[in-house]
Amino acid sequence: MSKITFMGAGSTVFAKNVLGDVMLTEALQGFELALYDINEERLRDSERLLNSMRQSLGSQCTVKAYTDRKAALKGAKYVINAIQVGGYDPCTITDFEIPKKYGLRQTIADTLGIGGVFRNLRTIPVMLDFAKDMQEVCPDAWFFNYTNPMAVLTNVMNTVGGIKTVGLCHSVQTCVSGLFDALGMDQDGLKTKIAGINHMAWLLEVSRDGVDLYPEIKRRAAEKQKETHHDMVRYELMQRFGYYVTESSEHSAEYHPYFIKKNYPELIERFNIPLDEYPRRCIEQIKGWSDMREKLFASQHIEHVRSLEYASYMLEAMETNKPYKIGGNVMNTGLITNLPSEACVEVPCLVDASGITPTYVGDLPPQLAALNRTNINTQLLTIEAAVTGKKEHIYHAAMLDPHTAAELSMDDIVAMCDDLIEAHGNWLPAYK
Amino acid sequence: MSKITFMGAGSTVFAKNVLGDVMLTEALQGFELALYDINEERLRDSERLLNSMRQSLGSQCTVKAYTDRKAALKGAKYVINAIQVGGYDPCTITDFEIPKKYGLRQTIADTLGIGGVFRNLRTIPVMLDFAKDMQEVCPDAWFFNYTNPMAVLTNVMNTVGGIKTVGLCHSVQTCVSGLFDALGMDQDGLKTKIAGINHMAWLLEVSRDGVDLYPEIKRRAAEKQKETHHDMVRYELMQRFGYYVTESSEHSAEYHPYFIKKNYPELIERFNIPLDEYPRRCIEQIKGWSDMREKLFASQHIEHVRSLEYASYMLEAMETNKPYKIGGNVMNTGLITNLPSEACVEVPCLVDASGITPTYVGDLPPQLAALNRTNINTQLLTIEAAVTGKKEHIYHAAMLDPHTAAELSMDDIVAMCDDLIEAHGNWLPAYK
Amino acid sequence: MSKITFMGAGSTVFAKNVLGDVMLTEALQGFELALYDINEERLRDSERLLNSMRQSLGSQCTVKAYTDRKAALKGAKYVINAIQVGGYDPCTITDFEIPKKYGLRQTIADTLGIGGVFRNLRTIPVMLDFAKDMQEVCPDAWFFNYTNPMAVLTNVMNTVGGIKTVGLCHSVQTCVSGLFDALGMDQDGLKTKIAGINHMAWLLEVSRDGVDLYPEIKRRAAEKQKETHHDMVRYELMQRFGYYVTESSEHSAEYHPYFIKKNYPELIERFNIPLDEYPRRCIEQIKGWSDMREKLFASQHIEHVRSLEYASYMLEAMETNKPYKIGGNVMNTGLITNLPSEACVEVPCLVDASGITPTYVGDLPPQLAALNRTNINTQLLTIEAAVTGKKEHIYHAAMLDPHTAAELSMDDIVAMCDDLIEAHGNWLPAYK
Amino acid sequence: MSKITFMGAGSTVFAKNVLGDVMLTEALQGFELALYDINEERLRDSERLLNSMRQSLGSQCTVKAYTDRKAALKGAKYVINAIQVGGYDPCTITDFEIPKKYGLRQTIADTLGIGGVFRNLRTIPVMLDFAKDMQEVCPDAWFFNYTNPMAVLTNVMNTVGGIKTVGLCHSVQTCVSGLFDALGMDQDGLKTKIAGINHMAWLLEVSRDGVDLYPEIKRRAAEKQKETHHDMVRYELMQRFGYYVTESSEHSAEYHPYFIKKNYPELIERFNIPLDEYPRRCIEQIKGWSDMREKLFASQHIEHVRSLEYASYMLEAMETNKPYKIGGNVMNTGLITNLPSEACVEVPCLVDASGITPTYVGDLPPQLAALNRTNINTQLLTIEAAVTGKKEHIYHAAMLDPHTAAELSMDDIVAMCDDLIEAHGNWLPAYK
């Protein structure tokens, strides 16, 4: 029997979506859906809910919860990963509050920046433990990583962990439709091409019948920038660098040195930048979950309509050999020729029975490659820190972060890193 | 209006298949199908036949024949190329008869070997003329090359010609089904991977549910080798080098120094090698065509069922953005990491609205890369000859051909090349 | 007769040093030393002085001044370039004063940063004119570039200009001796290795008898940092990133976002950073020259002792085939494996009759590669601007500069670029 | 105290030359010269002789013989390797006699071909044992490999062994002087460039004052080919492929399929090819040594004049940091851009205190790259066999050898390999 293992299955809503999709997919009937989480209470919630849904949907899949990680992974053909290490409380709070003392403000802190660096440092050891288990009990399984920071974790699983890993993110999928909806443009018959790095991939081409639509997009976007809206940073980046980026304004604001600047406090309002956005979302999500939980468990029927989430379509393509195309995160084996080969990149991938095969992109426009490289710098140094266990590389990662370096002196960056290391305590391994 | 131009449309049967497929494809209705050939009689035949078929099928495409090449290409969105330069008589006859005087025997002579070298030398200038016209009148068109020698011509069109070209061959498509049919094995649920160079691509993986099927394949193949059959060379290569190759035994026999050997005349019978096979086929084909022509023009209804030929599925994928996967010939932009980057390779490609995007393969097993390199040597030197116009590189190409070098001395190789250059006369440009 | 052409020969002191060395080199006797400058008065000064020196030294070289550029270059075997475009007044003044209005302070402005970008933009067209002339009258000559910004100009001459160019800078030569002198350490028997990019190359290895000397260097440097001295930025970079850099503190201060920060005005004093240093030096140099000029022309004998300047030793090695090793700036043909291949890098090169042959370096430590990449970003975008003539790439270059991006908003960066373009007037070509 | 260890010191004559050079080199006084050989009798001979020579020359080096390998290597700064595994009797005899039964004739059999393959297979395990010892007792030592087959053994020591290794061969050094002597041409002021693979490196450039000397060389060589001489194969290769090769005719004859051909027996005489040359030389050398031994031990004074052998000049450059240039064998880290990166290549290297640093070459002319690739094929497959222990890769190596493949059928190649494996017995590890 084939088996799909879901790591972090206590994320009930996400597990419900992804595994609900699986239950609705003809080619995946008969699979065991193995659930694993370190939080047993939430694991049992998910098990209960998924079993209800299975019955409601009449699916031939089976659902089984595991408290033993290796048992959960044993014999898996696919592993879906959606863990979070350290949670909102205490780790996310730490990631935001300590930098704030140094005057360094953030919005999401799950990708790059000082928050992204520490989120990586506490997640990498856990993921490498998964990899070690997998080498023993399911070395050939495909690992679908949904956990952020995407680029670094996918990189580490592939290179250090030695596990066939693809990183999956919604930002590629929704990039074009979001833009066209916002600008009131017709989406029929579009030809598009997206590549770069996760959360900073670029809409390299958007045309219809051979006609480049960027001039019209930019004209409408310029008009829209005259009023306040929720994607002002992203539109500004497009006007300045020529291409639309996959990640939202609240994320993008902290990937660059241009928006959150002590010297220019007015930019926060001008670009409508929601500082401390992620902690707010966490609090709401926690509150929202307890409401939803009650409702879900009260209902007899758990309905589900197959979503647009990549996972079930990929699994279907891999089982049926009917090709499917995704924007996936993979190692840069010469795919984007002007980004470092040690980087993890987000490129079109072909999915079918042969697995997930990345396609060749070539050179990015030079300004886009340059922007990507500023972020890759911090990614690679974070990996260096995690792999060598040397504290100095944590400082390097932080000092190379464009936003951190713009705002703080080297002394303050180092002091802030030391404070963060201390505050995280056992959430981090010992650094020398 | 969108336009598909067919170069060499006088190949009526092939044009009928490919363009019949197009006529039956929903997404391609309304396209102009532009026919071009230097042989006006055959061009008119094709025009008449395709128009009959169009009516029989009720297609909304239009058919138009051109005698002016640039007019045929003007504004084309896709160009399909199926020309043959020099024909059976005189050029193929020359390619076989002169080497035979030196004791060098061939089977097909359309890929590598001395025949392949000269077929390239007379075709490259014609193809580069196409490229020059296309640069003027349809620089963004995709060029689907069906003309052999595939690897060299596709290479030249991409690099020297500067035209977006993919080379298409049936050998990848039929490789696995042919093998499994012959061995009486079940083809359901196969996972396969094929990559290499045209006519020498390798079935790198063939499995079902994670189980490698090669041991069973090799066991059955060994059994079959005990009797005479038509694929003995290919089975022998698989037993010796571990992997099945895409091209048939009659082709493969002349790509290596192992089969057609003056020192071992018994190998011809032992491996059932049909020397001079291609001229025989040409004669039959010419005869067959005149019979078929009569029948076709006599019939009221020209029926057509959509074939498995790649072209219409690719065009459909490019127009509808529904992904399709092919084995295509493209430049080796780091795709197969242990073959030269100047080579044209045959790898899985993703076809959709973004065009034809090759996927990453990585290293071939070292013995397969080595065999491919022996053939790439001659390919690259043939291109060098055509691009520089230097006769010495023709000699180099021939001297690096594994079969030619095994059979003849350097003096004989050079003399044979000189004879061939003289015999081809104006079919070749002047060499210095 | 063999010929060495000196472009920018009006830089009398530098021309005297380099060509004085040539006159003292046995293997270079008999060469014509061709002088060229657009300032005829200074050209004549140099001619007069070099002729005096030639007689004093009894050299068999000849000296000839040219006002026609193509005549100066005609038949040259070597071309030495030491031009400056736009001079202190007006261009350097502009490069410093306009950014100052935006609150952006600089120290040298001849490499990177906003001043470096515009210095490149006005110099590239002049250099490409040289390249065009050379293609006509001395296409095989070696071009020794001494003009800054070194990395970009050497890159452009090699790639766009198609001229065999090596970039030469004193910073590699003096790096180790300067450090060891300052720290009172013995320089005998050192083994050292330096590589990176110009003005940001790294002392990757410094050892004696297999013993790494960095711990002792860092201990002494830490001690020295307790008092004020002239290399405080460089020592700080070494403590933070682990390696000593080739360029001085006054240069290095503006290559990073860490030192000149409006938010941390105290860093200027703490690291003893001489803002506006280069304009001060220019004024002194201009004053110094008129004093020196008088003295030189008054003296009967112009003495010269062969200096340590690379040029004459390289010419000697190229003429005699006795190998000589330099740190040279060359295209990154896979030499430093974790820097972009489009970049110009500074690596050990072997000089002999075969020319200037770069050696393989491999990966830099990741934090050093990351720092280099932040500077390469601006270099490549500056080249993009110069080659395409598109103003947007000037903005990109400035926005990717780590120091500029840290200090200014995007609006201010763009406005500042516009002001600089206007102020430079005809010193720049028209941008669209 | 510094130490140079000589592996295979029982090769008394070679040890005397290389270590005599060392004794005469100022910068190497005080070094311990550690001798190691598995043949204790010959080891003692060398010890006695070198001690005599040391006294005669008044050298400050010390000489010490070791019978324990690890003790010999312990603390070495440099290791010089000149071993031979299996000797003339039995292994070389086997390498020649068994192929002869199959009608496959050889001349030297120390590089490629069936003899080269088996010479590699018995030497690689011994060399990897050295590497293992060195990892323990002198991991930073430089390994100067003089043992053939050069390309494969140097490759394996660098990649599998993890030891800094350079391969040294006389063929580069003597290439130009030998050619010019033979043709009566003046050698003053030559500019030359040599690169390729060991024993098949190419004289890419030979000029004087910018004038290409190849036309004159080829004119004289053509004249010389009219009579019988000892370099006829090499001259023929130059006329056919355009460039002179570093290795002698007796070697080159067996690297290609063009010269030793059953179908063309007359070529042996025409190109004056000395079949079975190496066994003859071995017998003479063994005889010669016993004469020489007697004489040497009878004499009071052992004189030595510093030879042109690379080793002492390299050691001097590494100790004094005075640059020296060699043609060395190193891994192809992007140095020759159209040869596989897994190959070991022979390129100009800079030797100084930084070690042995290879220089960048770029593309070879395509016909030369093609010829090199045919030989690299067999090299890489031989390494594959040794590393995996799989017999099939031995067959692959032999089947890809151009000369073997031209002469024999696949059945005969496999049977011959099996015979050789059996005959070598314990000289080879077990293959599966």
Side-chain angles (χ1 to χ4, degrees), chain B residues 236 240 258 261 263-264 270 338 342 367 370 373 377 381 396 399 405-412, chain D residues 236 240 258 261 263-264 270 338 342 367 370 373 377 381 396 399 405-412:
Chain B
E236 183 73 7
R240 293 302 186 195
Y258 310 125
K261 294 181 90 63
N263 286 334
Y264 293 85
R270 181 171 160 211
N338 55 357
E342 306 92 327
Q367 69 272 26
R373 282 193 288 252
N377 283 343
L381 291 165
H396 296 156
M399 288 193 289
E407 291 291 89
L408 302 190
S409 69
M410 294 204 293
D411 284 347
D412 277 357
Chain D
E236 183 73 6
R240 293 301 187 194
Y258 309 124
K261 295 182 91 63
N263 287 333
Y264 293 85
R270 181 171 159 211
N338 55 358
E342 306 92 326
Q367 68 272 27
R373 282 192 289 251
N377 282 344
L381 291 165
H396 297 158
M399 288 193 289
E407 291 290 271
L408 302 190
S409 69
M410 294 204 294
D411 284 346
D412 277 357

Side-chain angles (χ1 to χ4, degrees), chain A residues 8-10 36-46 66-67:
Chain A
Y36 175 76
D37 205 293
I38 52 169
N39 181 327
E40 192 170 345
E41 190 189 329
R42 300 207 51 167
L43 176 66
R44 295 302 163 198
D45 275 3
S46 291
Y66 293 82
T67 54

Side-chain angles (χ1 to χ4, degrees), chain D residues 173-193:
Chain D
Q173 272 174 297
T174 58
C175 171
V176 174
S177 59
L179 177 66
F180 275 59
D181 280 349
L183 298 181
M185 291 175 70
D186 172 25
Q187 302 180 38
D188 277 357
L190 290 186
K191 177 179 169 187
T192 64
K193 186 174 175 187

Side-chain angles (χ1 to χ4, degrees), chain C residues 257-389:
Chain C
Y258 310 125
F259 299 101
I260 307 173
K261 294 181 91 62
K262 268 183 273 184
N263 286 335
Y264 293 85
E266 69 276 18
L267 296 177
I268 301 301
E269 195 180 329
R270 183 173 156 207
F271 291 115
N272 194 21
I273 298 168
L275 297 175
D276 296 326
E277 172 70 8
Y278 187 65
R280 266 196 303 280
R281 287 188 192 173
C282 290
I283 293 168
E284 277 167 36
Q285 208 179 354
I286 292 164
K287 205 186 304 170
W289 167 239
S290 69
D291 295 355
M292 192 190 297
R293 186 181 184 282
E294 216 164 313
K295 249 184 268 173
L296 281 172
F297 285 121
S299 66
Q300 297 282 13
H301 263 307
I302 308 294
E303 293 301 335
H304 183 71
V305 176
R306 194 168 173 188
S307 75
L308 288 175
E309 199 68 58
Y310 274 153
S312 76
Y313 297 94
M314 292 172 67
L315 294 168
E316 187 177 13
M318 293 167 94
E319 292 293 317
T320 64
N321 203 22
K322 204 185 108 193
Y324 183 66
K325 181 187 176 178
I326 61 161
N329 291 275
V330 294
M331 291 310 297
N332 188 24
T333 52
L335 306 171
I336 300 187
T337 36
N338 55 358
L339 293 185
S341 60
E342 307 92 326
C344 175
V345 291
E346 197 165 70
V347 298
C349 295
L350 170 63
V351 187
D352 65 5
S354 294
I356 294 139
T357 315
T359 63
Y360 176 75
V361 173
D363 269 0
L364 297 183
Q367 69 271 27
L368 307 185
L371 290 169
N372 283 165
R373 280 192 289 251
T374 66
N375 280 233
I376 288 169
N377 282 343
T378 291
Q379 292 171 5
L380 298 183
L381 291 165
T382 305
I383 294 173
E384 194 72 12
V387 168
T388 63

Side-chain angles (χ1 to χ4, degrees), chain A residues 240-295:
Chain A
R240 294 301 187 195
F241 291 100
Y243 295 84
Y244 195 60
V245 73
T246 46
E247 195 42 89
S248 65
S249 285
E250 64 271 20
H251 279 80
S252 292
E254 64 188 7
Y255 304 159
H256 302 278
Y258 310 125
F259 299 100
I260 307 173
K261 295 182 89 64
K262 267 183 275 184
N263 286 335
Y264 293 86
E266 68 276 18
L267 296 178
I268 301 301
E269 195 182 328
R270 181 171 159 212
F271 292 115
N272 194 22
I273 297 169
L275 296 175
D276 296 326
E277 173 69 7
Y278 187 64
R280 267 196 304 277
R281 288 188 192 174
C282 291
I283 293 167
E284 277 167 37
Q285 208 179 355
I286 291 164
K287 206 186 304 169
W289 166 239
S290 68
D291 296 353
M292 191 190 297
R293 187 182 183 280
E294 216 163 313
K295 248 182 271 173

Side-chain angles (χ1 to χ4, degrees), chain B residues 48-286:
Chain B
R48 187 176 148 197
L49 185 76
L50 285 164
N51 263 318
S52 297
M53 183 165 67
R54 187 181 54 76
Q55 289 173 327
S56 305
L57 302 176
S59 169
Q60 302 304 311
C61 295
T62 58
V63 173
K64 190 168 172 191
Y66 293 81
T67 54
D68 180 74
R69 192 169 71 197
K70 214 178 278 184
L73 290 167
K74 185 161 190 187
K77 191 167 180 185
Y78 305 104
V79 178
I80 297 171
N81 181 56
I83 64 166
Q84 191 188 349
V85 177
Y88 164 65
D89 189 352
C91 286
T92 295
I93 297 174
T94 307
D95 286 349
F96 275 82
E97 293 308 312
I98 286 176
K100 204 178 287 178
K101 284 189 203 156
Y102 289 85
L104 183 65
R105 303 301 304 271
Q106 299 173 90
T107 44
I108 304 290
D110 75 342
T111 310
L112 210 75
I114 192 65
V117 169
F118 277 84
R119 197 177 178 96
N120 270 316
L121 294 176
R122 62 184 181 262
T123 311
I124 291 171
V126 177
M127 299 274 281
L128 289 179
D129 282 346
F130 291 4
K132 214 174 138 196
D133 282 356
M134 289 180 67
Q135 293 291 5
E136 273 181 57
V137 299
C138 59
D140 293 329
W142 270 97
F143 191 84
F144 291 14
N145 181 46
Y146 277 99
T147 296
N148 276 323
M150 181 59 68
V152 164
L153 296 177
T154 302
N155 190 326
V156 164
M157 281 300 282
N158 272 299
T159 54
V160 186
I163 294 296
K164 287 181 298 186
T165 301
V166 64
L168 301 171
C169 176
H170 307 97
S171 61
V172 175
Q173 273 174 296
T174 59
C175 171
V176 174
S177 61
L179 176 66
F180 275 58
D181 280 348
L183 298 180
M185 290 176 70
D186 172 25
Q187 302 180 37
D188 277 357
L190 290 185
K191 176 178 170 189
T192 64
K193 187 174 174 187
I194 295 178
I197 57 173
N198 179 250
H199 288 189
M200 201 193 281
W202 308 97
L203 180 57
L204 297 172
E205 189 181 340
V206 53
S207 63
R208 182 185 290 115
D209 299 330
V211 179
D212 179 13
L213 298 180
Y214 257 129
E216 176 65 9
I217 290 169
K218 289 177 187 169
R219 201 190 55 70
R220 294 189 184 215
E223 203 56 36
K224 202 174 160 74
Q225 285 293 72
K226 291 177 183 163
E227 55 196 68
T228 298
H229 62 98
H230 289 288
D231 231 359
M232 301 189 79
V233 164
R234 202 149 48 143
Y235 283 32
E236 183 73 7
L237 287 168
M238 177 170 65
Q239 303 291 8
R240 293 302 186 195
F241 291 100
Y243 296 84
Y244 194 60
V245 74
T246 46
E247 194 43 88
S248 65
S249 285
E250 63 270 22
H251 279 82
S252 291
E254 64 188 5
Y255 303 160
H256 302 278
Y258 310 125
F259 299 100
I260 308 173
K261 294 181 90 63
K262 267 182 274 183
N263 286 334
Y264 293 85
E266 68 276 18
L267 297 177
I268 300 302
E269 196 182 328
R270 181 171 160 211
F271 292 115
N272 194 21
I273 298 168
L275 297 176
D276 296 326
E277 172 69 7
Y278 187 64
R280 265 195 304 278
R281 287 188 192 174
C282 292
I283 292 167
E284 277 166 36
Q285 208 178 355
I286 291 164

Side-chain angles (χ1 to χ4, degrees), chain B residues 195-198 200-202 204 330-347 361-377 379-380, chain D residues 337-342 373 377 380:
Chain B
I197 57 173
N198 179 250
M200 201 193 281
W202 308 97
L204 297 172
V330 295
M331 291 309 298
N332 188 24
T333 52
L335 306 171
I336 300 187
T337 36
N338 55 357
L339 293 186
S341 59
E342 306 92 327
C344 176
V345 290
E346 197 165 70
V347 298
V361 172
D363 269 0
L364 297 183
Q367 69 272 26
L368 307 186
L371 290 169
N372 282 166
R373 282 193 288 252
T374 65
N375 280 234
I376 289 169
N377 283 343
Q379 292 172 5
L380 298 183
Chain D
T337 36
N338 55 358
L339 293 185
S341 59
E342 306 92 326
R373 282 192 289 251
N377 282 344
L380 297 183

Side-chain angles (χ1 to χ4, degrees), chain C residues 370-424:
Chain C
L371 290 169
N372 283 165
R373 280 192 289 251
T374 66
N375 280 233
I376 288 169
N377 282 343
T378 291
Q379 292 171 5
L380 298 183
L381 291 165
T382 305
I383 294 173
E384 194 72 12
V387 168
T388 63
K390 289 190 184 167
K391 201 184 282 186
E392 64 189 275
H393 292 303
I394 302 180
Y395 307 147
H396 297 158
M399 288 193 289
L400 264 299
D401 175 56
H403 175 43
T404 304
E407 291 291 89
L408 302 190
S409 69
M410 294 203 294
D411 284 347
D412 277 357
I413 294 172
V414 170
M416 176 179 67
C417 286
D418 286 340
D419 286 359
L420 279 159
I421 293 168
E422 199 189 331
H424 273 94

